[in-house]
Amino acid sequence: MSRILVTRDKNSGTAMDKNQDTILNGLREAIRTETDGHHFYLMAAKTVGDPKGRAVFSSLAEDELAHLQFLSKQHDAISATGKVDPNIMLGKPSAISHSDPIFSDEIRMRINAAHFEMSALSIGIQLEINSESHYRRLAESVRHAELKKFYLELAEWESGHYQRLLHQQNSLKEDYWSSGGFTPF
């Protein structure tokens, strides 16, 4: 197990962690991930034909933007002070429930043409799995209680997104496969 060495920055007098670069690199990677998610959900919101789907993907894009802003502010705080700023809050996730469908019931009537919607669900699921896993790894890799706390909070938020997308995909999967003449196993 590696020890964390603390030194004093002669210019600012703040405690600096020897692993600060590792922490900042993890934050930069998380910022890139949230940027990708934000742009993907914006594209999905503009592309899906279903009005309810557009609203949900827009909401997911807003959540990813909130994550991005939170991570950027924490990155700046850690860069400047060597510490997490406890005054920077993540806020509440959007009020989307995994049991509430993403798309309106009309999608079932045109399921054989809902290729983009099904692809958007699959890609979104993978983005959320990757993000949740990344945040959990980052939480395990840091000793800072505040940093660990917000990585775990982000992981839970991403888990909620994942559950919502997966629930919708599972509810449409059989109809989609059937309309395309695909029967696995």
Side-chain angles (χ1 to χ4, degrees):
M1 184 183 275
S2 65
R3 292 175 26 143
I4 295 178
L5 300 177
V6 177
T7 60
R8 293 268 169 206
D9 181 346
K10 293 177 185 173
N11 297 327
S12 67
T14 60
M16 301 280 292
D17 186 314
K18 186 174 181 178
N19 294 319
Q20 186 175 0
D21 284 340
T22 302
I23 292 167
L24 292 173
N25 286 336
L27 285 170
R28 283 190 286 274
E29 187 175 332
I31 289 166
R32 279 192 302 274
T33 299
E34 295 300 333
T35 301
D36 290 346
H38 173 70
H39 289 292
F40 170 74
Y41 289 128
L42 281 178
M43 180 201 57
K46 290 176 185 174
T47 307
V48 298
D50 185 80
K52 186 172 182 180
R54 281 194 302 272
V56 170
F57 282 122
S58 289
S59 178
L60 289 167
E62 288 173 19
D63 279 356
E64 301 302 303
L65 182 60
H67 297 176
L68 169 62
Q69 291 168 342
F70 172 75
L71 291 166
S72 294
K73 289 176 185 176
Q74 288 294 4
H75 179 277
D76 292 347
I78 293 168
S79 292
T81 67
K83 298 185 277 185
V84 171
D85 184 342
N87 297 315
I88 300 171
M89 301 298 213
L90 186 53
K92 302 263 187 231
S94 61
I96 55 174
S97 161
H98 78 275
S99 61
D100 186 26
I102 291 174
F103 301 112
S104 67
D105 290 336
E106 294 172 13
I107 197 167
R108 291 189 190 282
M109 290 183 246
R110 59 176 190 81
I111 195 71
N112 62 337
H115 306 301
F116 182 81
E117 286 87 344
M118 295 303 288
S119 294
L121 288 172
S122 293
I123 293 166
I125 287 167
Q126 194 59 54
L127 283 171
E128 301 303 337
I129 287 171
N130 291 347
S131 293
E132 179 184 0
S133 176
H134 178 68
Y135 291 133
R136 291 201 188 281
R137 277 192 311 272
L138 286 172
E140 289 173 8
S141 72
V142 297
R143 292 181 143 184
H144 298 54
E146 287 296 320
L147 200 55
K148 185 180 291 288
K149 178 183 170 189
F150 84 71
Y151 281 141
L152 290 174
E153 190 175 353
L154 283 166
E156 286 303 312
W157 231 3
E158 303 299 357
S159 176
H161 291 170
Y162 164 77
Q163 293 297 326
R164 175 91 189 273
L165 294 169
L166 184 64
H167 179 77
Q168 182 70 70
Q169 183 186 54
N170 286 337
S171 75
L172 295 174
K173 181 171 48 181
E174 296 297 324
D175 292 340
Y176 183 69
W177 285 348
S178 178
S179 75
F182 176 71
T183 307
F185 311 109

